[in-house]
């Protein structure tokens, strides 16, 4: 019997910083993994009390008093600018961390978070949860065992439309809250992480261009980008093109990756996560999720029988369960760690530099 992602002897106590959408996703996943939901803090005590009542936490804390409540794991689900300091505070308090991306808005600070965790012997993970779709693991396994042959090209995009109109606003639009990059730091980093995870190769150089489609939102000037296009080179010799947009009408969460090898192509689309397209010169076919026919790593993430769809929350639940397991000293495959979070910030900085200087740039390697 293949071990499943949510099977672990660890039942940690947890606290969450933040009370928005991601805090809700984290809390559902934590409950699924058997964690004790101890304390939550939002921007003020009244908000903390509402969130505790809604999400089932034992204690609502004022944000200044959050770390007076010791827990095994702190989930950081606040705006980007707060991530690094809150992560460092959690580590100093003796807690492992699960920090929403980006770990920090610059690579030097993200590196300090990683270094401090290592110094204290504590763990940290980052929710690159698209790794946890079983068909993503199957694509990775096929490349690893050589089914595709040498990789040639990557064609990938991540398209959304939730910031399509000039009156669409969100804290991420403000560089003061979200950091110097928006579209790429928010969703482009997921795309890069997933490509590198599946392909087993890293981006070594890139040429990027970006646009701010709406220079003002709600009457306020905007400095962060709406769209990004990249040409990339990989460590194994493949080349590729990536498109990222938060202003693509009709696209809700259109993350699509197609990787072509010498013998076989693979295509994964996050909005149809139960299938993997396989293409060869003589044929093409759809491989559907069925634990009986998948690699061991993909099969362990199948939480329900074939024909019963799995989705985003299932992937998130598996990520959280794996995080708790590795914090408890267990071995789990493909868990995105703080080093992966640092990698995402490093690539984001390369994208910003390339776009600003209008040239190819080398990407620092892990």
């Amino acid at each position: 019997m293949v071990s499943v992602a949510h099977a672990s002897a660890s039942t940690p106590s947890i606290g969450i910083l933040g009370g928005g959408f991601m805090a809700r996703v984290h809390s559902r996943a934590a409950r699924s993994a058997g964690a004790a939901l101890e304390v939550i803090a939002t921007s003020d005590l009244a908000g903390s009390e509402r969130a505790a009542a809604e999400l089932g936490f034992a204690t609502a804390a004022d944000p200044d008093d959050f770390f007076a409540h010791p827990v095994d794991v702190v989930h950081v689900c606040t705006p980007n600018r707060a991530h690094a300091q809150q992560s460092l505070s959690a580590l100093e308090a003796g807690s492992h961390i699960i920090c929403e991306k980006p770990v920090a808005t610059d690579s030097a600070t993200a590196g300090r978070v990683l270094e401090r965790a290592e110094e204290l012997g504590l763990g940290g993970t980052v929710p690159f949860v698209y790794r946890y779709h079983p068909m993503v693991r199957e694509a990775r396994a096929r490349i690893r065992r050589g089914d595709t042959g040498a990789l040639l090209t990557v064609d990938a995009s991540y398209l959304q439309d939730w910031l399509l109109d000039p009156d669409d606003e969100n804290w991420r639009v403000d560089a003061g809250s979200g950091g110097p990059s928006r579209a790429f730091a928010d969703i482009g980093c997921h795309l890069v992480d997933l490509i590198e995870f599946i392909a087993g190769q890293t981006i070594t150089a890139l040429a990027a261009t970006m646009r701010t489609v709406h220079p003002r939102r709600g009457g306020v000037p905007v400095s962060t980008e709406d769209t990004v296009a990249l040409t990339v080179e990989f460590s194994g010799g493949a080349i590729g093109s990536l498109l990222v947009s938060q202003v693509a009408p009709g696209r809700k969460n259109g993350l699509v990756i197609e990787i072509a090898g010498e013998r076989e192509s693979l295509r994964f689309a996050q909005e149809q996560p139960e299938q993997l397209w396989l293409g060869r010169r003589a044929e093409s076919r759809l491989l559907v999720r069925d634990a009986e026919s998948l690699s061991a790593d993909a099969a362990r993430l199948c939480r329900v029988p074939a024909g019963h769809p799995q989705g985003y929350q299932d992937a998130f639940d598996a990520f959280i369960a794996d995080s708790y397991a590795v914090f408890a000293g267990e071995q789990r495959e493909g868990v995105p760690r703080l080093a992966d979070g640092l990698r995402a910030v490093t690539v984001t900085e390369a994208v910003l530099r390339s776009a600003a200087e209008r040239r190819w740039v080398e990407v620092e390697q892990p």
Side-chain angles (χ1 to χ4, degrees):
M1 176 67 70
V2 177
S3 63
V4 294
H6 56 282
S8 174
S10 174
T11 54
S13 60
I14 71 141
I16 289 185
L17 286 162
F21 169 74
M22 290 315 306
R24 292 174 173 84
V25 173
H26 279 249
S27 64
R28 287 193 292 268
R31 185 177 293 108
S32 174
L37 279 59
E38 294 292 343
V39 58
I40 189 169
T42 65
S43 57
D44 55 50
L45 183 57
S48 302
E49 290 172 343
R50 288 192 298 271
E54 179 183 349
L55 302 179
F57 280 79
T59 302
D62 184 278
D64 294 332
D65 298 328
F66 177 84
F67 292 106
H69 304 271
V71 291
D72 298 318
V73 182
V74 171
H75 295 240
V76 180
C77 305
T78 49
N80 298 351
R81 284 288 187 185
H83 289 179
Q85 186 54 58
Q86 290 176 339
S87 293
L88 289 167
S89 296
L91 292 168
E92 297 298 338
S95 301
H96 303 287
I97 57 172
I98 299 176
C99 181
E100 274 296 323
K101 48 77 191 162
V103 174
T105 54
D106 67 90
S107 60
T109 305
R112 286 199 294 273
V113 175
L114 171 59
E115 290 169 4
R116 191 58 180 147
E118 291 175 341
E119 290 168 356
L120 294 170
L122 293 167
T125 61
V126 181
F128 290 123
V129 297
Y130 299 120
R131 293 184 180 197
Y132 278 85
H133 286 298
M135 303 315 287
V136 163
R137 298 297 178 109
E138 182 64 19
R140 184 175 186 241
R142 294 182 73 89
I143 290 174
R144 280 181 149 187
R145 67 177 183 246
D147 292 10
T148 57
L151 302 188
L152 304 176
T153 61
V154 175
D155 180 20
S157 61
Y158 199 161
L159 308 178
Q160 299 177 333
D161 70 358
W162 66 287
L163 288 171
L164 177 61
D165 297 327
D167 56 351
D168 291 326
E169 298 182 71
N170 183 269
W171 61 262
R172 291 172 180 83
V173 172
D174 176 23
S177 297
S181 170
R182 188 220 320 148
F184 194 84
D186 188 28
I187 61 176
C189 67
H190 277 293
L191 188 63
V192 168
D193 178 81
L194 199 59
I195 292 168
E196 294 188 340
F197 180 71
I198 293 172
Q201 298 185 19
T202 57
I203 293 172
T204 57
L206 58 83
T209 186
M210 55 178 57
R211 295 289 185 273
T212 301
V213 175
H214 300 302
R216 301 179 70 85
R217 288 183 180 272
V220 178
V222 173
S223 61
T224 54
E225 78 282 0
D226 292 303
T227 62
V228 185
L230 298 89
T231 301
V232 297
E233 296 177 345
F234 290 90
S235 55
I239 58 174
S241 61
L242 283 62
L243 180 63
V244 176
S245 175
Q246 292 179 319
V247 291
R251 295 300 183 188
K252 305 308 177 185
N253 204 56
L255 188 164
V256 179
I257 295 173
E258 183 166 328
I259 300 174
E262 290 177 318
R263 292 189 296 274
E264 182 176 82
S265 295
L266 307 168
R267 185 180 190 272
F268 174 79
Q270 193 277 155
E271 290 183 341
Q272 294 84 39
E274 294 283 87
Q275 61 190 37
L276 181 68
W277 178 82
L278 307 175
R280 291 191 171 233
R281 188 167 187 175
E283 65 170 351
S284 63
R285 63 191 178 97
L286 286 178
L287 181 66
V288 297
R289 183 184 62 81
D290 184 345
E292 297 298 322
S293 61
L294 300 181
S295 64
D297 190 35
R300 84 174 182 95
L301 298 176
C302 294
R303 303 187 65 180
V304 295
H308 298 74
Q310 291 185 201
Y312 174 76
Q313 187 67 53
D314 296 293
F316 214 103
D317 291 354
F319 158 72
I320 293 296
D322 266 9
S323 295
Y324 294 163
V326 298
F327 296 159
E330 300 179 32
Q331 296 295 318
R332 294 295 169 95
E333 172 68 19
V335 182
R337 314 293 182 104
L338 289 175
D340 299 301
L342 171 59
R343 171 68 179 167
V345 181
T346 300
V347 175
T348 299
E349 288 180 339
V351 168
L352 289 172
R353 188 165 67 253
S354 174
E357 299 175 6
R358 300 189 66 78
R359 65 178 180 88
W360 278 89
V361 301
E362 301 295 317
V363 181
E364 182 180 342
Q365 294 304 289

